Amino acid sequence: GKYLSFDRMILLLKESLINNKQLLEELQNQFQFCLLDEFQDTDRNQFQIFETIFSKENQVLYMIGDPKQSIYSFRGADLRTYD
């Protein structure tokens, strides 16, 4: 089979949430609360996934991170995501 990289999986999920409203609604209905630990190692695509899923008024997205502990800048983690 064709190899599917970690980065490609993230992009496919991000695109699926944009293009498949039923998937988005099912995830939003299933999950009301998210604790996103190690946020300093989240890249923009990963953050957009969580931001999209947890965008309803009754949902909560907590992000926990320490910029001084970021280790994934080589794969796109960006401290400016905090902005």
Side-chain angles (χ1 to χ4, degrees):
K2 187 177 177 184
Y3 174 73
L4 187 60
S5 70
F6 182 70
D7 288 333
R8 184 73 182 134
M9 284 189 280
I10 291 169
L11 286 173
L12 288 173
L13 176 56
K14 183 178 123 177
E15 292 169 2
S16 294
L17 291 172
I18 292 167
N19 297 320
N20 186 336
K21 296 302 178 194
Q22 182 179 354
L23 172 63
L24 176 59
E25 288 175 7
E26 287 180 22
L27 289 170
Q28 288 175 327
N29 291 334
Q30 185 173 357
F31 300 104
Q32 182 180 357
F33 184 87
C34 177
L35 232 158
L36 182 54
D37 197 12
E38 302 296 339
F39 181 70
Q40 74 274 2
D41 292 323
T42 303
D43 65 26
R44 191 161 304 283
N45 289 323
Q46 291 169 321
F47 177 65
Q48 287 175 345
I49 289 169
F50 287 100
E51 185 179 46
T52 300
I53 294 171
F54 293 92
S55 62
K56 291 176 106 176
E57 190 172 309
N58 66 335
Q59 291 179 301
V60 178
L61 173 61
Y62 282 109
M63 296 164 282
I64 302 129
D66 181 351
K68 294 176 187 168
Q69 293 183 16
S70 184
I71 61 172
Y72 286 110
S73 61
F74 71 92
R75 61 166 293 280
D78 185 355
L79 295 180
R80 290 174 290 182
T81 303
Y82 283 100
D83 297 341

